Amino acid sequence: MTRNGINFWQAFVVGIGQAFAVAPGLSRSGTTIATGLLCGVKREVMAQFSFLMVLIPIIGEQALDILKAATGHAELGGGLSPICLVVGFVSAFLAGLFACKAMVAIVKKAKLGWFALYCAIVAVLIFILA
């Protein structure tokens, strides 16, 4: 069954690709987009899906922070004032929307070979220098 241009099997394989993106030098979005393209998903669909996938780790991290604050192991908001938190949230949200829109447009048109080469070089340097 396909939904919005991607089927459940393709989404599962892309999710596995996202799990491998924790390795040094791998871009999470680059890994998920490349995995989706290899699975036969169209560029535009895969770019949008990849940028939506980032919500899972972000929501998970925030849930852990709230749990730590609820159990008294951390201070909610890191001691910042509510106004700072709201301004930071709104700014990050708007910047994120802009970045996602720009990246989807780039992925639709650009070839990702140079980006893949850059990631490979960074990964090798990290393994050599670390």
Side-chain angles (χ1 to χ4, degrees):
M1 181 174 153
T2 300
R3 185 171 186 169
N4 296 331
I6 188 167
N7 66 40
F8 293 113
W9 175 251
Q10 291 166 324
F12 177 74
V13 172
V14 171
I16 292 171
Q18 178 168 277
F20 281 104
V22 298
L26 289 180
S27 158
R28 188 209 58 83
S29 59
T31 301
T32 56
I33 291 170
T35 304
L37 294 176
L38 289 172
C39 290
V41 182
K42 292 181 182 177
R43 275 178 175 255
E44 180 177 342
V45 170
M46 197 57 241
Q48 292 171 350
F49 185 71
S50 174
F51 289 110
L52 285 174
M53 286 180 71
V54 78
L55 293 175
I56 301 303
I58 289 173
I59 291 170
E61 177 66 25
Q62 291 308 304
L64 288 174
D65 286 348
I66 290 169
L67 184 62
K68 286 178 188 174
T71 58
H73 291 97
E75 189 176 346
L76 191 59
L80 295 173
S81 72
I83 221 71
C84 287
L85 293 173
V86 169
V87 169
F89 172 81
V90 170
S91 300
F93 180 78
L94 293 175
L97 282 178
F98 174 76
C100 285
K101 192 92 168 151
M103 288 306 297
V104 168
I106 289 170
V107 169
K108 279 190 214 176
K109 297 176 185 175
K111 299 210 184 267
L112 302 174
W114 289 109
F115 181 67
L117 179 62
Y118 157 77
C119 287
I121 291 169
V122 169
V124 168
L125 288 174
I126 287 172
F127 282 119
I128 290 172
L129 300 175

